[in-house]
Structures are given as C-alpha cells and as structure tokens.
Amino acid sequence: MQETWRWYGALDKITLADVAQTAATGIVNALHEIPYGEVWKAEQISARAGEIRAAGFDWSVVESLPIHERIKRGEGDLTQLFANYRQSMANLAAAGVQVVCYNFMPLLDWTRTDLAAPVARGGTCLRFEAYRMAAFEIHMLGRTAAEDDYPEDVRKRAAIWFQRSSHADRDSLLHAIMSGLPGAYDRYDVDGLKQALTLYDGFDRAALRANYKRFLDEVIPAAEELGMRFCVHPDDPPRDILGLPRIVSNADDIDWIMSSVDSNANGLTLCSGSLGANPANDVPAIAAAHADRIHFAHLRNVRKDPDGAFEEAAHLEGDTDMVALIKVLLSEENRRRNAGLSDHNIPFRPDHGHELLTDIGQGAFPGYPMIGRLRGLAELRGVISALSHGV
C-alpha cells in the first residue's frame, strides 16, 4: 500500500518538508482556491504537480474535484458545469494525476460539533455530539422537522444545553459544524445556512440518487477514456443531517452506486471512519464486497455512543477492526499483483488524527495535525508490515 498524506497547499500550516519526515511517498491534494464549477486550468495543475514532485512526492490522489451544488440539486441547464468538470479531468490526466476522490453530500462536507474534545491522557479529538447537533438544528436553525430526527432523550439534552449556552457557546458550535468545508471560502452563518437549505426544500433521497446517477453517466465514460479512477467518499456522518438526504452511508448504498455504473472507473474511497460511525456497517465486510473497486483508503477509527454520538479514536483503538480491514486491502493488492495489474498498490492515508503535544495551538486544519496523524501512520505502518509477511 502506498503511504500518502493530505496536504492543503499554501493554505496548510504543515509544509512539504515537514511531510517528508513522515516517510510517506504520496500527496493527496486539491486546488481548493478555485471556486466550484470552474475549470482547473492546465497551468494551475502543472504548477501544483511540479511543486509536489520537486519535493520528492507523487501527487497520488486528488481530494477532491468538487461537484457544484447545482449538479447535486439537478438545477437548470448543467451542460457547461459538466463540460467544465470533464475539462478539469482531462487536464489532471494530462499531468499524470489519475485518481479522484469526491463526495456527493449536499451542502456540507464532514460534520462535527466539537473540534477539540478531550482525549484520555491528554490531547484532543474531533467529536460528533448528537444532542449538540440536535440543539443546533432544533433551537438555532429552528428546523421543526428535526424533532423527528432525534430520540426524546437527545432532544431533552439539546434543550437543556441550549437554555444554558452562551452566545460564545453557540458561535463555537456553528464554527465546528462549518469547519468540515474544505478550502478558503466563507462559511455560513445561521441565516445564511437557513437560506441555503431552502434551495433543497422538498428534496428527497430519490431525487439525490437520480442526480448522482446523472453525474456518474456524465463523467465515468470520460474517466474510462482518460484512464482515471473515480472513488466516492462515504457520507460523514453516515446519516441524514439538516433535513438533507445522504445516499452513501451503508452497504446497500454502496452496492447501488457500484451497480448503477458498472465500471472500474466508478470506485470507492474506503473511509473506515465514515462507514464505521454507522452501527449497522461491518466495514471489513463492505471492503471485501467491493475490494476490486477500492481505489483509495482513509484509515481512521471511531468510537460510538448509543445515542448516535461518536468521536475519533486512535487508529487501532476504535470500534472497527483495523487489522481485519487492512488484511482485506492487502489481499486485494495481492490479487491485483498476481493479475499483472500495474496499478496494484492502493494509496491510503492516516485520517483525522488527534491533536497531541505541539500540535495544539498550531492552527492546522481540524482533524489534520502533524503529530496525531504521524502516530496513526506509524501504527498503520506496523500493522501493514506485520500482515505483509502472511499475505
């Protein structure tokens, strides 16, 4: 497996020289400064690729080539947006970048309510607290339908938290929820989020699936021609949120996606943390079922609570059997190698590490500290090395 590291370019406090000391060989990167829907120009891609390669890395994966919200909503004439997307794909392929990780989550990316929840023995982690999310939806957004999305005990705790919270507490919660949006763009305030949500009024799971199928039909044939591999990232958290449907949350969803366009170019980013936050998901079993379509892996772990809350655990300490999962990935690599496939290596990266030691206060992107991810990479490297002797 190829060890990679997510790097945010000029927006990142962590430099490529820092990353080099991890011994990872690949970089996962995107041109976050380009607005959604615009073409990634060849010269922009070439400049970024040159920077990465000059530092001694491969640009292993694009994460991500974002999908405009109008495509997700199926709104209006999308001809130009799809043409722009395919042109960006062609420009990436010309620069030698072949793997594209993306998601189809409406409006928001990954969502947490706490960016610095305390960890036993020191450090902090990302956490999704069910009652705080309920407080945000019910009491701050005033989304009355959210009452039906949370059990009574969670709603009661949400009401108590809201009554006791200060303006600073509420601002902190909003900031945490908005922090999953990548890039350098402004985040929503409460009124802005309310307005954005109106664009999805009456939008349901069937509508989102139809628009996703259209997206796949528009881009996967181009990916096949370009020799590219697309890999969808699961929803995070894997549940409907803010009244918006999520359609990449469980084994049935992934079965539907892989069968809807049956092509090796239509693949999966195996994110063990996102899938692991759903109690119904057996992550190693999902990986085994779709091993031949896994083109990228995010290896992280979560610890779940009965009320729907979860937090980022150490990579080998959460609810997912990481050793069993890595064994599936190594076995698939071995199958590809024996089949003579040149691209048999599956790139992976340690994901959402704890903030530890000098990470704290450094201003790294939430979930992407230096030392916490390096600890995760070291642990994963050890598992891979041990298992490789038996694969």
Side-chain angles (χ1 to χ4, degrees):
M1 297 177 71
Q2 186 193 25
E3 298 175 357
T4 70
W5 192 271
R6 190 170 191 181
W7 179 65
Y8 286 90
L11 304 174
D12 207 324
K13 301 286 187 181
I14 297 168
T15 68
L16 288 175
D18 296 332
V19 178
Q21 296 182 56
T22 71
T25 60
I27 291 295
V28 176
N29 185 252
L31 303 184
H32 294 295
E33 60 274 17
I34 298 178
Y36 292 11
E38 292 188 9
V39 173
W40 289 15
K41 296 178 181 177
E43 55 269 28
Q44 295 170 305
I45 294 169
S46 179
R48 182 61 55 82
E51 182 181 9
I52 290 169
R53 289 165 185 157
F57 298 97
D58 300 323
W59 187 354
S60 303
V61 180
V62 170
E63 186 178 348
S64 62
L65 183 56
I67 301 166
H68 199 280
E69 289 299 308
R70 282 181 51 211
I71 292 176
K72 297 175 188 177
R73 294 193 298 268
E75 176 185 295
D77 183 357
L78 300 176
T79 304
Q80 191 61 53
L81 282 176
F82 280 123
N84 289 355
Y85 201 92
R86 287 190 293 267
Q87 185 60 57
S88 296
M89 292 168 56
N91 293 344
L92 284 164
V97 184
Q98 300 291 333
V99 180
V100 176
C101 169
Y102 69 98
N103 73 70
F104 213 80
M105 289 181 272
L107 204 57
L108 296 183
D109 206 304
W110 60 263
T111 304
R112 299 292 186 273
T113 59
D114 298 272
L115 301 181
V119 175
R121 302 180 70 180
T124 67
C125 70
L126 303 178
R127 182 172 173 84
F128 180 89
E129 195 72 78
Y131 75 86
R132 289 195 188 191
M133 194 68 207
F136 181 77
E137 294 204 54
I138 297 168
H139 301 287
M140 292 175 63
L141 278 183
R143 196 175 74 80
T144 55
E147 297 269 356
D148 298 329
D149 294 341
Y150 296 93
E152 183 180 2
D153 61 325
V154 173
R155 296 197 306 269
K156 287 180 178 178
R157 292 186 71 191
I160 293 169
W161 181 88
F162 183 74
Q163 290 165 5
R164 295 176 177 174
S165 64
S166 64
H167 288 296
D169 293 332
R170 297 171 195 175
D171 288 344
S172 178
L173 178 58
L174 174 65
H175 172 71
I177 291 170
M178 290 297 108
S179 290
L181 290 169
Y185 305 111
D186 292 337
R187 274 53 174 158
Y188 297 108
D189 59 16
V190 169
D191 288 338
L193 183 56
K194 286 180 180 179
Q195 184 62 36
L197 287 169
T198 64
L199 298 174
Y200 282 93
D201 283 348
F203 206 75
D204 61 14
R205 178 180 175 84
L208 189 61
R209 265 196 171 185
N211 294 338
Y212 184 28
K213 176 64 163 62
R214 179 181 177 186
F215 169 78
L216 293 174
D217 289 339
E218 292 276 359
V219 304
I220 295 303
E224 291 173 337
E225 292 178 8
L226 294 166
M228 302 184 82
R229 298 181 297 283
F230 269 58
C231 39
V232 64
H233 187 286
D235 302 324
D236 188 8
R239 50 162 290 174
D240 292 358
I241 199 167
L242 300 175
L244 301 173
R246 294 285 179 93
I247 58 170
V248 195
S249 292
N250 55 45
D252 289 342
D253 289 341
I254 295 170
D255 289 346
W256 177 84
I257 293 163
M258 296 299 108
S259 63
S260 65
V261 177
D262 189 8
S263 166
N264 187 58
N266 176 32
L268 174 66
T269 296
L270 196 287
C271 180
S272 54
S274 297
L275 290 171
N278 184 338
N281 287 337
D282 181 334
V283 181
I286 291 172
H290 299 289
D292 62 333
R293 303 276 279 275
I294 294 172
H295 302 316
F296 184 33
H298 290 180
L299 298 182
R300 62 183 175 90
N301 225 321
V302 296
R303 183 179 294 107
K304 299 182 287 293
D305 294 337
D307 67 354
F310 63 89
E311 68 181 24
E312 308 289 348
H315 284 68
L316 303 184
E317 295 179 6
D319 296 337
T320 294
D321 185 340
M322 191 64 70
V323 175
L325 175 59
I326 291 174
K327 188 173 183 180
V328 171
L329 298 176
L330 289 174
S331 295
E332 171 58 19
E333 279 195 339
N334 198 46
R335 184 198 67 79
R336 296 178 191 184
R337 188 180 297 108
N338 290 338
L341 299 179
S342 60
D343 57 348
H344 57 266
N345 278 340
I346 298 173
F348 79 95
R349 63 175 179 83
D351 197 12
H352 289 194
H354 293 171
E355 284 200 334
L356 304 173
L357 301 171
T358 55
D359 284 334
I360 297 171
Q362 293 301 305
F365 277 86
Y368 295 95
M370 186 70 194
I371 295 174
R373 281 188 290 166
L374 183 54
R375 174 191 171 182
L377 178 58
E379 293 175 342
L380 297 169
R381 182 180 288 153
V383 172
I384 291 167
S385 180
L387 286 175
S388 293
H389 288 285
V391 172

